[in-house]
Every structure is written in C-alpha cells, then in structure tokens.
Amino acid sequence: MAATLFDDFNTISSKQWKQKIQFELKGADYNETLVWNSPEDIQVKPFYHKDELTKTYSVATKATEFKICQNIFVYDVEKSIERAIDTLNRGANSLRFSIENESIDVTKLLENIPLNDVTVYFNLSFISIDFVTKIDAFASKNNITIFCSLDPIGQLAKDGNWFSTKEKNNFETLNLLSKQTKSISLVSINAALYQNAGATIVQQIAYSLGQANEYFNRIDTINQPIVFEVAVGTNYFFEIAKLRALRLLFKLIAKEYNHNLDCNIIVSPTKRNKTLYDYNVNMLRTTTECMSAIIGGADAISNLPYDALYHKDNEFGDRIARNQLLILKNESYFDKVNNPADGSYYIETLTNQLAEKALALFKDIEASGGFLKQLNDGIIKRKIQESADVEQNLFDTGKEILLGTNKHPNKQDRMKGDLELFPFVKQNPRKTLIKPIIEKRLAEKIEQERLKLEDN
C-alpha cells in the first residue's frame, strides 16, 4: 500500500496559521486588514481550516448530470420546432419554451421534436387547465420529463396581479391541476426575480422558501418536484453556497409536509451586472456564473447570451452562450465529479452560515403571517429596495467593482454603469410589488443606447 504523501509533514492548526499571518502583517490589525463583511452580514476570513468547521451537512448534487438548457420563445410553432431541433443537434439536452398565450398548438410543438432523454421546461405567461392537461397527456404517453412551471405568487410579485382564470382563484386552479395531471411537475418558484431586483443571497433563499411554504399550505397534493428558477451573480463562492443552502433548506421544510422529492433547480446568470458597453466582458461574467451553478448543484443551466440586454434572441448569441457550457462540460470536465464542493472548508462554512441566516429570516416571515401577507403589505418590496440601494451605493463609490464599467471604463462610454440603468424596484399607482425586470421604459432606453452604438 502506497504511503500517504503528507505523512512526513506535521499538521498545522488554525491558531498557528493565524499567528503566522499576524507576524507577517507587521503590526497591522488582522480583522481590519484581512476580514471583510459581505452584504449578508457574513464575516469572510482570509483562510478556513478543518478544526474550525463545527458541522457539515450532506447536500447531494449531481454535477455529472447537469443539463444545458436552451430558451425558446414560441410564437411561430414551425419556426420553434426548427430551432429546437437545431439546438439539440448543437449540444443542448434541455429546452425551455416561453409561451404567452394558449392559442399555441403545444401538442404539435412537442410531437415534432425528438425528446428522448431531453428535459423540457415551460415558462407560461398564463394558467390554463386545458393547456396544461395537453402537456401532461403528451408526457404520459411518451415518458418525457416535463416541468410545467406555474408560479402565480411569482406572477403577483412581478406584475402586481394574479393570473386570470375561470376558477375562483389561482390556487383552486393549481389544486384542480394537481388532481388531473400525473406525469408533469406543476409548481415553480421564480427566485431569479429577487436576485435581479437586488435582494441579498439570504433574502433570495428565504423568500423562495416562503413561496414554497405557501404552495405546500395551499395545494393539497404535490407529487412532483418543485422547480426553483434561480439567478446567480458574480460572487463566485457565495453563489455556490447559495444553491447548496437552498437545496438543503428546501429538504428541511418539505419534510414537514411529507414531500420527499428533491427540488429541481434551473439556473441562469443574473442580468444585474451585465453591461451595454464593453459587452464582450459579459461572456466572462456569465462563464464564472455558470461555473458557480454547476459546482453549486444546478440541475439545468440556461446561459444568458452576452448581447441579451440589447438584442432580441439571435442564433449567434445563443450559440456562443451554449458553447460556453459545452466548453465547461467537454473541455473543462466540470461534469466529471458529483458533489464537487464537498470538503471545501470555505464553501462548507458559507453554506452553513447562509442556511442559518436564511432559515432565521424564513421563520420571521412565517411568524409575521407568511410570505403572501408580507408581499401584500409591501414589506418584501421595501426590504429588497433597501438591499438594492446598498448595492447601488457600493457600485457608485467603487467598493463593488465591475471591470470596464466603474473600474477601468472606456473613456468614450457615455454611461457610468449598468446598475443605475436597472431601477428594478419602483413605486407605481397600482402598488406593483416588484416590477418586471425589463419594463417598457427601460427597454426604450436600451434601444436608444444600442442605436448610439451602431452610429459609432
């Protein structure tokens, strides 16, 4: 048996490491110099050691099975079929269809695409029993994995209104669907909404769990996995820990309702740090964000094209975004090891701290009447606004750095940065709680800036 390579070395305790660091600082204060505080009120140390890791939790992630998901907006069914087939031939193994109205022939859409071993997500802008039962019938007949992502609470948070339905309310519709469908997942939670609006990681996790708890309380039977749609930001290790903590806490809460299925997490890079100028840098940001998603345990990843802020969906942008994931998978071998974050004292510690803080916030929300009550009272909106303002201030003062934007910007650029272009949470007469990510005024401003770029 081969000898362990490190047998000849003495182990060094965390105390010894700290003493050595303090010696090298030559009198400078250890905490002021090397310890920084995150927006989640977590003190990040310069090193982490095994003897300081008090507890670890098993977070089963399957990086070897992550799916490369392609978003397809369905307007013309024939063109969407053609695009889906081309996308699958080019390396995607998951599809997410965005559909705005129930006039789309969903059966025709699905029947003409080779869906063996392909996971399908639906992003619906409506809720319809007839439409969803058609999807369920196809999934049952063809043994296809389909997540029909219905999130009426997310719709309320984003738009200020529930879905229009023939039934008494959206929860009655979901209860009817849960009884009539057997083969598809129905419930989804749009956690990306909170990240893109400026919420801290702790808020994102707690609010998502608050939504999940509302669904558990209002839907009699949930026999399929719940989908979390998550946006990941640029804080690499924190985002890895965020996905792990979310999965960990969901299992904890779901167990109380005898729901023993793991959640399904589909991840996209955030839009919050993407820029109009020096836009090629967006590819670097989305690459590290996708890396966080894989290591953190995403089931599927839908990459954001580098030009998503100023272009409609286009073949070139989609291909580049998809190829980023293919490189991570086939050339960087990110799909070779399950639970890749296990054993990292830093990530393990972050996971524990985020989970503890998010659970405490979740308990506070439930003690105050639940997520829906706080949403209707405007508390969720106000809390996110406060967090977004803090982040904006860090950006404006240069304490939060976006290279090429507020650090080393191109002198010919006419805007200070992208964060001030995205006032995600605003008041309006209808008391919309969290406005859509790309509102009409913002879209017009982006188009104006794009035209300026073309003129130059």
Side-chain angles (χ1 to χ4, degrees):
M1 181 177 178
T4 304
L5 294 177
F6 294 99
D7 282 347
D8 293 335
F9 296 89
N10 295 324
T11 58
I12 301 176
S13 68
S14 59
K15 182 178 180 180
Q16 289 173 296
W17 276 114
K18 188 172 181 179
Q19 288 173 342
K20 179 63 176 175
I21 292 171
Q22 287 177 321
F23 173 78
E24 296 294 340
L25 286 174
K26 298 181 178 7
D29 186 86
Y30 174 88
N31 290 320
E32 290 184 3
T33 306
L34 298 178
V35 178
W36 60 275
N37 208 53
S38 77
E40 294 76 22
D41 196 29
I42 292 176
Q43 289 192 329
V44 181
K45 300 183 295 185
F47 74 96
Y48 288 79
H49 196 281
K50 182 179 181 180
D51 62 18
E52 294 181 332
L53 189 63
T54 56
K55 52 188 174 182
T56 61
Y57 299 99
S58 175
V59 184
T61 62
K62 296 182 179 179
T64 58
E65 299 178 11
F66 86 88
K67 302 286 187 180
I68 298 174
C69 184
Q70 178 66 56
N71 290 326
I72 297 177
F73 180 82
V74 182
Y75 177 76
D76 183 308
V77 173
E78 295 292 344
K79 290 182 179 179
S80 296
I81 292 170
E82 181 180 344
R83 186 179 174 200
I85 294 173
D86 179 66
T87 293
L88 294 174
N89 289 336
R90 289 173 177 264
N93 51 8
S94 178
L95 300 169
R96 179 161 60 178
F97 295 111
S98 294
I99 301 177
E100 288 194 336
N101 62 77
E102 55 184 305
S103 64
I104 296 294
D105 189 344
V106 69
T107 303
K108 179 181 178 181
L109 174 70
L110 294 172
E111 284 180 342
N112 289 278
I113 302 172
L115 295 175
N116 293 333
D117 299 321
V118 174
T119 301
V120 179
Y121 296 85
F122 278 94
N123 179 26
L124 303 180
S125 300
F126 57 91
I127 183 170
S128 164
I129 291 179
D130 291 341
F131 195 88
V132 174
T133 51
K134 289 178 183 178
I135 297 174
D136 180 66
F138 179 86
S140 178
K141 179 181 177 181
N142 297 277
N143 194 28
I144 303 298
T145 301
I146 297 181
F147 298 95
C148 192
S149 304
L150 301 176
D151 183 15
I153 299 177
Q155 170 69 12
L156 176 67
K158 181 177 72 172
D159 188 64
N161 297 293
W162 297 95
F163 288 120
S164 298
T165 60
K166 299 176 183 178
E167 292 71 39
K168 181 179 179 181
N169 56 52
N170 287 187
F171 295 117
E172 182 180 354
T173 306
L174 285 176
N175 272 298
L176 290 172
L177 280 170
S178 68
K179 296 174 183 176
Q180 296 181 25
T181 58
K182 303 297 181 183
S183 302
I184 61 175
S185 170
L186 294 174
V187 179
S188 173
I189 293 163
N190 186 4
L193 180 67
Y194 307 121
Q195 199 284 337
N196 281 310
T200 66
I201 289 177
V202 169
Q203 289 172 327
Q204 294 168 47
I205 298 171
Y207 296 161
S208 301
L209 295 173
Q211 272 190 248
N213 199 51
E214 295 287 353
Y215 287 128
F216 278 127
N217 279 307
R218 286 173 165 78
I219 302 175
D220 296 333
T221 305
I222 301 178
N223 291 325
Q224 298 288 338
I226 290 179
V227 175
F228 285 86
E229 299 181 21
V230 180
V232 291
T234 193
N235 196 340
Y236 185 74
F237 293 106
F238 272 70
E239 294 295 339
I240 294 172
K242 176 177 80 175
L243 297 181
R244 289 163 53 86
L246 176 61
R247 195 179 293 275
L248 176 69
L249 290 181
F250 174 79
K251 288 183 178 180
L252 181 67
I253 293 170
K255 186 178 180 181
E256 298 299 316
Y257 296 92
N258 297 317
H259 181 85
N260 298 316
L261 299 174
D262 198 358
C263 59
N264 184 282
I265 300 178
I266 179 170
V267 177
S268 297
T270 181
K271 292 180 180 178
R272 194 165 178 80
N273 63 1
K274 303 306 180 291
T275 51
L276 286 169
Y277 294 114
D278 204 8
Y279 47 81
N280 288 321
V281 177
N282 291 336
M283 282 188 281
L284 302 179
R285 296 186 180 121
T286 56
T287 297
T288 59
E289 288 159 1
C290 287
M291 290 163 62
S292 293
I294 298 170
I295 297 173
D299 294 284
I301 303 172
S302 174
N303 195 12
L304 185 73
Y306 75 99
D307 58 352
L309 293 186
Y310 61 91
H311 269 168
K312 292 182 178 179
D313 288 350
N314 61 89
E315 195 277 335
F316 181 77
D318 285 344
R319 181 164 60 86
I320 294 296
R322 191 170 54 247
N323 284 351
Q324 288 174 258
L325 289 169
L326 288 169
I327 289 172
L328 290 177
K329 187 172 188 177
N330 298 324
E331 297 185 27
S332 300
Y333 306 116
F334 267 65
D335 67 334
K336 300 305 179 186
V337 179
N338 283 328
N339 306 314
D342 283 1
S344 167
Y345 307 138
Y346 180 32
I347 296 176
E348 295 269 17
T349 302
L350 286 181
T351 301
N352 295 345
Q353 291 177 309
L354 290 175
E356 289 170 359
K357 288 179 177 292
L359 184 59
L361 178 55
F362 169 79
K363 289 179 178 179
D364 287 343
I365 292 171
E366 293 305 308
S368 301
F371 180 81
L372 266 177
K373 183 179 186 303
Q374 291 212 341
L375 192 65
N376 287 317
D377 290 345
I379 296 173
I380 302 296
K381 175 182 179 297
R382 176 170 57 82
K383 293 294 186 181
I384 293 177
Q385 180 69 69
E386 291 170 357
S387 299
D389 289 344
V390 170
E391 183 183 41
Q392 183 67 56
N393 182 63
L394 291 173
F395 173 80
D396 291 339
T397 57
K399 294 179 181 178
E400 179 175 313
I401 294 173
L402 284 179
L403 291 177
T405 305
N406 67 345
K407 184 76 170 179
H408 309 305
N410 186 330
K411 293 181 180 180
Q412 296 180 352
D413 287 354
R414 289 184 287 270
M415 291 193 309
K416 293 180 181 178
D418 58 305
L419 288 184
E420 65 183 11
L421 185 64
F422 287 84
F424 285 104
V425 185
K426 293 290 184 182
Q427 298 277 358
N428 76 14
R430 293 190 302 139
K431 296 183 180 179
T432 298
L433 301 168
I434 298 174
K435 298 202 71 175
I437 292 175
I438 302 296
E439 39 188 275
K440 181 180 179 181
R441 178 179 58 78
L442 177 58
E444 290 172 351
K445 188 170 183 179
I446 289 175
E447 180 64 15
Q448 291 170 4
E449 297 299 333
R450 185 183 68 79
L451 292 174
K452 290 178 184 178
L453 279 172
E454 291 182 351
D455 290 342
N456 290 337

